[in-house]
Amino acid sequence: MPKYLKWLFTFGVVLVLQSMAYATDGYKLWLDYKTISDSTLLKEYQSLVGSVQAYGNSETIEKANRELHEGLSGLLGMNAKKLKGTYSIVIGTYQTLPKDIASQFSNGLENINEEGYVIKSLGNHIVITAKTDIGVLYGAFNFLKRLQTQRSIENLNITDSPKIDIRILNHWDNLDRSVERGYAGFSLWNWHQLPDYKDPRYEDYARANASIGINGTVLTNVNSNALVLTPQYLEKVKALADIFRPYGLKVYLTARFSAPMEIGGLQTADPLDANVKTWWKNKVEEIYTYIPDFGGFLVKANSEGQPGPQNYGRNHVDGANMMAEALAPFNGVVMWRAFVYSEHDATDRAKQAYNEFVPHDGQFKDNVIIQVKNGPIDFQPREPFHPMFGAMPNTNLMIEFQITQEYMGGATHLVYQPKLFEEVFEADTYQKGKGSTVAKVIDGSLHNKKITGVAGVSNIGTDRNWTGHHFLQANWYGFGRLAWDPYLNSEDIAKEWTRMTFSNKAKFVDKVADMMITSREAVVNYMTPLGLHHIMATGHHYGPGPWVGNLSRPEWNPVYYHKADSKGIGFDRTPSGSNATAQYAPEVAAMFNNLTSCPEKDLLWFHHVQWSYKLKNGHSLWNGMALKYQEGVNQVAQMQTTWNQLENDVDAQRFNEVKMMLNIQYKEAKWWKDACLLYFQQFSKMELPKGVEAPAHTLEYYQNLQFPYAPGIRPQW
Ligand code: BDP
C-alpha cells in the first residue's frame, strides 16, 4: 500500500477510535445537539432547513433565536447561518411577525393559551409563533426536539399549550448550600458569591427548565430560614431572578411563618395581629421592588416543628389568607402545604392532612393554592393517591411530587419516576363519578379551578451531570413534561428523552425505555411490595429499617406502618381499623375496603392480612411477598444485562458510570430483600419459597449497619 494511503488509513482509524471514545459527562442534559449520525436523514434535513428569521427584540426572542442557531448548527453539522434549505424558520409573536404571515394565524392562535405555541408550515416558511415571547421559546425547543428525535419537519401544523399554570421545582436548598434530601452535590445557588458572581450554570439551569416548560422555581427549603427575606439575600435572589426571567422561570421563596419575629423584631407572628399583617404587607412590597415578577411564597406551617398559625391558636386559613392578602396586589400566590401531621394527634397519620384541611374548603382566598403530596404519607415508592384530591372542590389545589429520591435509594438507584407520576394522575378519585381522575383535579377541569399547579421536589445539585445519576435526568425531564400535560404517556416520554439524550437507534431506544419503565416497579418490589410503606432506616431513610420501633413519635417508626405480628402484616385502614378509607369517595372506599377488590399493589396499605392469605396468583401472602422481593432483585439484574448489551451504543463515560450505579443498585436491592425477609420471617415463621435466594447475612448483621454520613439528611435533625 502506498505510504500516503497507509497514513490516511491510520489517520482514519484514529478518528474513528476518537469518536468512539467521545465522552460526555452529562452536563448538556437532553440538549446535547450532536450531529445527526444517519447521513441520509442529515442530508434531508439540510435540504429542508433554511435560515432562521427572528422577529421581536425581547431577550426571550433572542434566546429562542440563539437556541435555534446552536441547535441547528449542532444537529445539522454546519453553521446554521449557512443553511440554505427550502424552509426558513420564522419566529416571533403574533404581534411581531410580518403582517402577511401573522394574518394567516388568527384561528390557530385562538386555540392556544398565553404560554402555548403554534408551529406551522406556510409556503417556504416554518413559522413558530405564540401570543407571548415565552410561547415562542417553548415552540423553538419543540421544533428542535423534532429534529433531535428525528421526526418529519414537513407539513407541520402543531398547536400545544400547557394544561397547568404553575409548573414548578421546589428546591429544598439551605442557605449554607446543603440540600435536604439532595443526592447530587450541593445547592446550585452560591449565596456567598451572589449577587456579583453569576455562575453560567444559573442560565444553563433556566434554559433546561424552559426546554421542558417548567416556569417556576422555589429557591429555598420548605424548612425555611427567614434570612432569605432580608435585603442582604433579596439582592441575591434578584440576581437569579434576572437571569431566569428571559426563560420564563419565575422565582418563589419559602416564607418562614415566624419571620416577623426573627427578622422583623415583632413579639408575635399571630396572623390576626395588625402589626404582623402590616409587616408581611411591607415585606412583600419590598420583595417586589427587587423582583417585579416575584411568584410568591411556599409555606410549610405547623408541620414537623415549623412555626405556623396554630402556635397562636389560629388555623391554616388564617395563616394562608394573611399572606395571600399581602401578595394579591402583585398577583403573587401562596402555595400552602398540606403536609401536616401532629404529635398530639393519635389518629392514623394518613388521615391527618385531610382532617385538617377539608373542613376549610371554600375559605381560602383566590390566590392560595393548597399543595398536597401525591400520597397521604410521604413520597413512598408506591402510595394510593391522596384523599384530598377532588375532596376540596372550592379550593385551589396543586400536587407535589418528590423528584429527588429520599425514599427510593437516593441518586444511586435508577428509578424512572414519570411512571409513578402517571399512575397518580390516572388514579380515579370518583369525586364527580367515574372518570374524575387526579389529572382532572390538578388541571382544574373537574372543579373549574382558576389557578392550577404541579410541584416537584428537585433532584438537582452541583454534580457535573446535575442529578447524580445520568438516568435521573429523565425524572427532571419527565416531571416537566407531565407538569405541562399530565395526560402524556410515561413510556413515550422515556423514549423521547432517550432519543434526545443518548441515541435514536430504534433497538436502543426500545431497550432503554423498557429498562426505565421496569425500574419503577422494581424499586417497589425490592423495597415495599404489596402496599408496604415507610420501612426505611431512620433519619436518612437510606436502606431498610423495618425493625425500628424506638423513635419518640409513633408515626416515625416503621413498625407503626407495617404492624407485622404472628398473625399477619399490614395497616388496617378499613372501618375495622383506622377507617382512613372513609376519606375517599364511596366507590373508592368500597374498592379499598374489600379484601378481594383492593388492588394487591395496595393490599398492606389498607389491610392487616394473614400470612397464609391466598393472593390472586395462588401463593400465600408470605410466599407472594418473598417472591416479590426476589422479583425486584431479578428486575435489577435484568436492567444490568440490558445495559451491558448496549455498551457499543453509548459513550464510554456514561456507559461505565451507569454500569457502576446499577451494580450498587443490585447490591442494595439484595440488601433490602434479605433484611426485610429475615425480619418479617420472625413473625411469619415460614420458610422462604423456592426461587427466593437465601439471605447473605443474619438479621443481626443488617440491624447493626450504621450510616451516620448518608447524604441528604436533614441538617437540623
Ligand atoms: C419528608 C422529609 C423531610 C421534609 C418533609 C417535608 O423527610 O426532610 O422536610 O418531608 O416535605 O419527606 O416537609
Side-chain angles (χ1 to χ4, degrees):
M1 170 183 319
K3 225 180 182 172
Y4 79 94
L5 268 185
K6 259 195 197 159
W7 186 87
L8 257 183
F9 179 73
T10 322
F11 184 62
V13 168
V14 168
L15 269 186
V16 168
L17 284 177
Q18 248 183 4
S19 71
M20 276 171 63
Y22 167 76
T24 161
D25 56 17
Y27 185 84
K28 293 186 175 167
L29 297 160
W30 47 89
L31 299 171
D32 185 4
Y33 298 119
K34 263 195 309 227
T35 305
I36 289 161
S37 55
D38 175 337
S39 56
T40 323
L41 188 68
L42 179 63
K43 283 211 185 88
E44 189 187 322
Y45 279 148
Q46 284 170 344
S47 72
L48 293 174
V49 179
S51 63
V52 177
Q53 295 164 20
Y55 294 93
N57 48 17
S58 72
E59 266 191 272
T60 302
I61 294 294
E62 212 174 277
K63 302 287 181 204
N65 193 12
R66 198 186 69 188
E67 194 70 33
L68 284 167
H69 272 94
E70 271 177 26
L72 293 173
S73 300
L75 288 162
L76 304 187
M78 59 192 282
N79 186 334
K81 292 201 173 100
K82 301 208 168 112
L83 285 166
K84 296 215 163 46
T86 319
Y87 305 105
S88 52
I89 315 299
V90 178
I91 66 168
T93 60
Y94 183 66
Q95 294 77 10
T96 53
L97 282 180
K99 287 279 163 296
D100 58 321
I101 298 183
S103 62
Q104 309 196 41
F105 276 102
S106 57
N107 287 336
L109 294 197
E110 274 160 21
N111 298 332
I112 58 168
N113 63 28
E114 289 300 297
E115 292 172 295
Y117 58 85
V118 178
I119 307 179
K120 198 168 171 132
S121 304
L122 274 181
N124 285 344
H125 304 308
I126 293 175
V127 184
I128 303 175
T129 189
K131 292 181 177 165
T132 58
D133 293 337
I134 189 65
V136 174
L137 179 63
Y138 290 153
F141 276 116
N142 187 277
F143 177 70
L144 286 168
K145 189 201 296 182
R146 292 194 77 80
L147 294 144
Q148 286 178 285
T149 55
Q150 308 194 344
R151 280 177 294 166
S152 164
I153 53 164
E154 289 188 280
N155 304 316
L156 296 177
N157 192 2
I158 302 167
T159 47
D160 195 11
S161 292
K163 294 193 164 62
I164 310 279
D165 305 324
I166 301 177
R167 308 175 297 279
I168 191 166
L169 289 177
N170 288 186
H171 286 266
W172 286 0
D173 295 15
N174 299 311
L175 299 183
D176 65 2
R177 295 193 83 185
S178 62
V179 181
E180 183 158 335
R181 312 311 181 180
Y183 310 99
F186 290 97
S187 167
L188 288 183
W189 329 131
N190 192 329
W191 296 109
H192 185 66
Q193 293 176 349
L194 280 165
D196 299 308
Y197 187 88
K198 298 177 173 82
D199 188 331
R201 197 160 185 171
Y202 300 146
E203 181 166 355
D204 294 341
Y205 163 85
R207 170 176 164 252
N209 280 318
S211 77
I212 49 177
I214 290 176
N215 65 358
T217 180
V218 184
L219 299 177
T220 45
N221 193 353
V222 286
N223 297 312
S224 57
N225 187 329
L227 277 184
V228 79
L229 303 176
T230 59
Q232 185 191 1
Y233 277 90
L234 288 175
E235 261 190 43
K236 300 167 191 278
V237 174
K238 172 189 162 44
L240 290 174
D242 289 344
I243 297 169
F244 298 167
R245 187 168 298 111
Y247 292 95
L249 191 66
K250 263 192 194 180
V251 161
Y252 299 69
L253 292 172
T254 45
R256 188 162 169 86
F257 203 78
S258 48
M261 297 160 76
E262 288 164 24
I263 57 168
L266 300 189
Q267 296 300 313
T268 176
D270 182 346
L272 301 191
D273 181 283
N275 292 331
V276 172
K277 287 186 184 185
T278 310
W279 187 85
W280 280 108
K281 280 210 167 113
N282 293 341
K283 181 49 72 184
V284 165
E285 246 178 70
E286 182 190 355
I287 295 175
Y288 279 90
T289 61
Y290 288 93
I291 308 146
D293 55 352
F294 178 66
F297 293 140
L298 170 64
V299 187
K300 172 176 178 178
N302 294 120
S303 166
E304 298 184 329
Q306 292 300 302
Q310 291 170 359
N311 300 28
Y312 309 93
R314 316 296 182 195
N315 61 29
H316 292 291
V317 180
D318 301 325
N321 285 354
M322 180 266 299
M323 288 192 180
E325 247 171 63
L327 286 155
F330 307 93
N331 294 321
V333 299
V334 180
M335 296 170 288
W336 190 268
R337 293 175 89 228
F339 177 69
V340 294
Y341 59 100
S342 160
E343 55 198 300
H344 309 296
D345 189 343
T347 46
D348 177 1
R349 172 172 161 188
K351 290 167 63 174
Q352 294 186 26
Y354 180 105
N355 287 346
E356 270 193 51
F357 280 87
V358 173
H360 294 300
D361 185 30
Q363 297 169 12
F364 292 96
K365 290 205 175 289
D366 283 353
N367 58 333
V368 175
I369 316 174
I370 304 301
Q371 181 167 312
V372 184
K373 288 190 180 181
N374 63 274
I377 297 288
D378 195 9
F379 301 136
Q380 296 302 296
R382 171 167 280 133
E383 298 194 28
F385 69 86
H386 203 299
M388 281 174 71
F389 295 130
M392 296 185 75
N394 303 307
T395 304
N396 296 318
L397 196 138
M398 64 192 281
I399 195 167
E400 175 179 334
F401 293 112
Q402 191 181 44
I403 312 172
T404 191
Q405 290 176 186
E406 172 181 357
Y407 293 101
M408 283 180 256
T412 40
H413 291 211
L414 192 172
V415 181
Y416 178 61
Q417 294 211 48
K419 183 77 184 146
L420 180 168
F421 307 157
E422 176 185 54
E423 180 179 302
V424 177
F425 280 133
E426 284 177 348
D428 198 341
T429 70
Y430 275 85
Q431 292 289 0
K432 273 176 93 178
K434 194 172 161 43
S436 308
T437 58
V438 172
K440 285 191 192 164
V441 174
I442 298 306
D443 76 5
S445 59
L446 194 71
H447 295 124
N448 207 6
K449 286 276 98 50
K450 295 231 169 52
I451 320 180
T452 57
V454 175
V457 180
S458 151
N459 64 344
I460 302 163
T462 50
D463 276 9
R464 188 66 194 155
N465 66 17
W466 300 84
T467 53
H469 186 311
H470 293 288
F471 271 88
L472 302 188
Q473 297 178 351
N475 293 345
W476 177 10
Y477 181 88
F479 166 77
R481 298 287 291 124
L482 282 162
W484 178 279
D485 181 352
Y487 300 93
L488 292 178
N489 173 280
S490 66
E491 191 166 343
D492 292 345
I493 298 173
K495 289 187 173 165
E496 181 180 284
W497 174 82
T498 303
R499 285 174 182 274
M500 296 165 82
T501 309
F502 285 111
S503 159
N504 271 286
K505 271 195 198 160
K507 226 167 105 197
F508 177 87
V509 173
D510 287 348
K511 286 201 162 178
V512 168
D514 196 46
M515 175 173 95
M516 291 164 78
I517 295 296
T518 308
S519 70
R520 182 271 191 282
E521 205 57 35
V523 76
V524 173
N525 289 337
Y526 66 71
M527 285 189 182
T528 53
L530 298 167
L532 283 173
H533 51 288
H534 219 305
I535 56 173
M536 293 73 188
T538 305
H540 47 60
H541 299 146
Y542 168 64
W547 45 80
V548 176
N550 59 354
L551 305 177
S552 58
R553 284 171 63 166
E555 75 283 355
W556 282 349
N557 290 292
V559 297
Y560 170 92
Y561 295 100
H562 64 66
K563 300 200 187 313
D565 56 25
S566 60
K567 290 205 193 101
I569 181 169
F571 199 129
D572 184 358
R573 294 192 162 105
T574 71
S576 60
S578 78
N579 203 19
T581 51
Q583 294 181 337
Y584 290 99
E587 294 88 336
V588 178
M591 172 189 68
F592 287 144
N593 282 338
N594 183 317
L595 203 51
T596 42
S597 61
C598 180
E600 281 188 351
K601 63 180 172 54
D602 301 316
L603 192 62
L604 306 178
W605 187 283
F606 290 111
H607 296 269
H608 191 75
V609 183
Q610 298 204 347
W611 292 112
S612 57
Y613 172 79
K614 280 259 160 310
L615 294 170
K616 298 205 169 91
N617 61 11
H619 285 296
S620 66
L621 173 67
W622 168 252
N623 282 358
M625 178 195 284
L627 287 163
K628 277 279 175 205
Y629 270 107
Q630 184 67 49
E631 189 183 337
V633 174
N634 297 347
Q635 284 167 316
V636 179
Q638 184 53 50
M639 286 158 62
Q640 290 179 295
T641 310
T642 306
W643 187 246
N644 288 338
Q645 288 166 354
L646 301 173
E647 179 162 9
N648 295 333
D649 298 313
V650 190
D651 56 280
Q653 182 174 352
R654 286 188 298 177
F655 175 77
N656 285 322
E657 288 176 3
V658 171
K659 185 178 163 136
M660 289 189 282
M661 288 295 198
L662 284 171
N663 289 344
I664 298 177
Q665 189 172 1
Y666 180 67
K667 267 204 241 166
E668 296 189 353
K670 283 216 289 201
W671 167 31
W672 267 93
K673 162 184 100 50
D674 290 352
C676 292
L677 289 178
L678 281 171
Y679 171 74
F680 292 133
Q681 196 172 32
Q682 300 179 109
F683 302 97
S684 79
K685 304 213 177 336
M686 293 162 123
E687 293 295 310
L688 289 178
K690 228 177 112 216
V692 177
E693 286 163 24
H697 301 280
T698 62
L699 176 59
E700 244 193 318
Y701 167 88
Y702 295 113
Q703 288 179 326
N704 286 329
L705 294 174
Q706 298 290 331
F707 304 94
Y709 304 113
I713 196 162
R714 291 184 62 166
Q716 60 270 58
W717 279 13

